[in-house]
Amino acid sequence: HMADGGIHDQLGGGFCRYSVDAQWTIPHFEKMLYDNGPLLALYAQAAAATGDGFFRQVAMDTAGWTLREMRSPEGGFYAALDADSEGHEGRFYAWQRDEIASLTTPDEYRVLAQRFGLDRNPNFEGAWHLHCVAELQDPAQQALLDSGRAKLLAARARRVRPGLDDKILTGWNGLMIRGLAISGRLLAAPGQVEAAMQAVDCLRRHCWRDGRLLAVWKPGAALLPAYLDDHAYLLDGLLELLQARFRSTDLEFARDLAEALLARFADRERGGFWFTAEGLDPPMHRPKNFADDATPAGNGIAAQALARLGWLLGETRYLDAAEATLRG
């Protein structure tokens, strides 16, 4: 239902940040890397579990959007696309019926209208934001839908684009590395695995300095000591990438991140991990969060990743830390 709704970009792939109505028709049009990495993994896992080609297509479209629009020349992934273009939220994604009709053949338009509700009233400020209202059963209709979508996507690419937040955030890249590694492995898409490897290389080159991880990079500067989530998400992504294509350098990087977690973030008295590294917060407040929020809980991902790495390497210190986190 999420993939059929307006939160999913029906032309270009990828998911917007959240819906603003109860029917999930109109989203807040911002697209975040941290949503799309986990959703990519989820749809690929659903495709592998069920054999449903719809889930596979959603995963492939999400990966396609990521590699097409969010990938930096250095291999890392940008943080987000803004909701606005030309000063208006959603303008980049909205359509008029006559514009769609002028870009497509009559047969293509008929199928697009059926699938996306163009024969109904406008749903977004006098225009149409595409969401699915009817299933297509005929393979011939699917071919017309695909060709019509391709024409609309090409036309949309000529519009004024939403603003790009071009920071390379270590933690969010870790989530996308995981998504691409899982999807590339389960859906036999080696280009996705290769992209995940290049993102790891970018982070190792720019955000790993003298045995310490940094949280953000833009050409010319890497800033801020990395947080728990940065270490945990990247470690988790590396473990998924190792299953897709093994590189000894990635295993060494995973071990280094695990050692950093234990040395700088572990609460040795009560279990679990602090959000900030040792020595970075004033004594009165050092947060430790066990709850999921817009992104997964760093403690949960750290426990999972350390348990897996502990079994992989036979390292009981990692297993003990994972158990202590769960007990905490």
Side-chain angles (χ1 to χ4, degrees), residues 179-198:
L180 288 167
I182 289 174
S183 180
R185 178 170 63 88
L186 295 180
L187 304 183
Q192 296 178 26
V193 176
E194 182 67 30
M197 294 169 62
Q198 291 178 11

Side-chain angles (χ1 to χ4, degrees), residues 26 29 88-91 94 96 122-129:
I26 304 301
F29 287 90
H88 296 276
E89 179 170 347
R91 173 170 287 186
Q96 295 294 334
N123 62 4
F124 181 67
E125 299 178 355
W128 280 261
H129 172 57

Side-chain angles (χ1 to χ4, degrees), residues 20 27 46 64 86-87 138 187-188 216 271 308 324:
V20 298
E86 300 182 271
D138 186 346
L187 304 183
V216 58
R308 298 174 82 187

Side-chain angles (χ1 to χ4, degrees), residues 57-131:
Q57 190 60 53
V58 174
M60 296 299 288
D61 287 349
T62 302
W65 165 75
T66 303
L67 301 185
R68 184 177 66 249
E69 300 188 30
M70 303 302 289
R71 193 180 188 188
S72 74
E74 296 83 2
F77 295 102
Y78 300 129
L81 283 179
D82 292 345
D84 296 4
S85 57
E86 300 182 271
H88 296 276
E89 179 170 347
R91 173 170 287 186
F92 182 75
Y93 301 96
W95 295 90
Q96 295 294 334
R97 270 195 302 220
D98 57 356
E99 182 184 10
I100 294 177
S102 71
L103 292 166
T104 57
T105 68
D107 287 341
E108 288 169 342
Y109 178 81
R110 192 159 42 249
V111 173
L112 290 166
Q114 177 185 343
R115 177 65 165 159
F116 297 130
L118 300 175
D119 51 355
R120 304 186 182 190
N121 292 329
N123 62 4
F124 181 67
E125 299 178 355
W128 280 261
H129 172 57
L130 303 183
H131 69 289

Side-chain angles (χ1 to χ4, degrees), residues 20-72:
V20 298
D21 66 290
Q23 291 74 40
W24 288 49
T25 302
I26 304 301
H28 173 51
F29 287 90
E30 193 174 18
K31 283 183 174 181
M32 314 298 293
L33 191 69
Y34 68 69
D35 292 321
N36 284 280
L39 283 167
L40 171 57
L42 182 63
Y43 278 96
Q45 290 165 333
T50 65
D52 191 327
F54 175 70
F55 292 142
R56 177 188 176 86
Q57 190 60 53
V58 174
M60 296 299 288
D61 287 349
T62 302
W65 165 75
T66 303
L67 301 185
R68 184 177 66 249
E69 300 188 30
M70 303 302 289
R71 193 180 188 188
S72 74

